[in-house]
Amino acid sequence: MRVTLASLPAEQGRENEDFAAAAPTAAVLLDGAGVAGEETGCSHGVAWFSSTLGGLLLSAVTAHGARPLPECLADSIRVVRSLHESSCDLVHRASPTSTVIAVRARAEALEYLVLGDSSLLLAGKGKEPTVVTDRRLDDVGKRLRGSLDALPTGSPEHAVALAQYRDALTQLRNRQGGFWIAGPDPRAAEHALTGTVPLASLASVTLLSDGATRLVDRFELSTWREVLAVVGSSGPAELIRRVREAEVGDSEGRRWPRGKAHDDATVLHWALA
């Protein structure tokens, strides 16, 4: 097994709120989220939340190999909550949250968990890759975006519409009819997408934050098979470079409407064969 990893913050000098790490039999990727430009209610911040939760989760899934992944995630959320609930406002509208991907090789199977809009690519030997993405956030977002996508990214009008959109989105976080994401409530782990795949059927496993999947699911400039070819031959950093190149060419979001011109981008590639 060989692991390669690349991660880039949205802006130079800005803290990266993504986190990814791997152990010999497991890997995790988290994409932290808050509300840009606002207080989070947490003195530690979004990057602290995603990295702390990610480190605890990787430890849990490796130390407790028979424990189901959702239970490992719920336990890890409880620990993170205990670390800052006495000093931070965990019911604040902008309290840190994070998407989560976790994979673990056990016996002859790969177990996976996906919560939030990061993507897991399972590449079979000679087959089209299987993509596992939790689309509930996207589905809710499409209902709420209204005129946001018609405004130039970064303009004052876009900033106002984006704030209104995020307010509406927050009201649907971690509730039925909305979407689920890791935050202060461990019950969110019960709503993660989970599954198992025979290890022998896989050539590679790739974990990507949504800032790294834009070439496919936002810009439609590439296919998942092409993404895997780039990552496998040139490495995760080359995929992120291509995403940035496309973003720079459409910095105002006129061709590809989006909330942020650039986003943190992380790719963890686990070659099994």
Side-chain angles (χ1 to χ4, degrees), residues 9 13 21 46 56 63 66 114-115 126 207 217 244 255:
V46 175
L56 287 166
V114 178
L115 182 67
L207 292 65
D217 56 17
R244 284 287 185 269
R255 181 178 179 185

Side-chain angles (χ1 to χ4, degrees), residues 140-155:
V140 169
K142 288 175 183 176
R143 302 202 307 262
L144 299 176
R145 295 186 76 89
S147 61
L148 175 64
D149 287 345
L151 299 169
T153 301
S155 67

Side-chain angles (χ1 to χ4, degrees), residues 31-65:
D31 179 357
V35 177
E38 291 196 15
E39 292 295 327
T40 65
C42 174
S43 62
H44 304 93
V46 175
W48 174 88
F49 178 81
S50 59
S51 62
T52 302
L53 179 59
L56 287 166
L57 179 58
L58 184 62
S59 176
V61 300
T62 53
H64 307 288

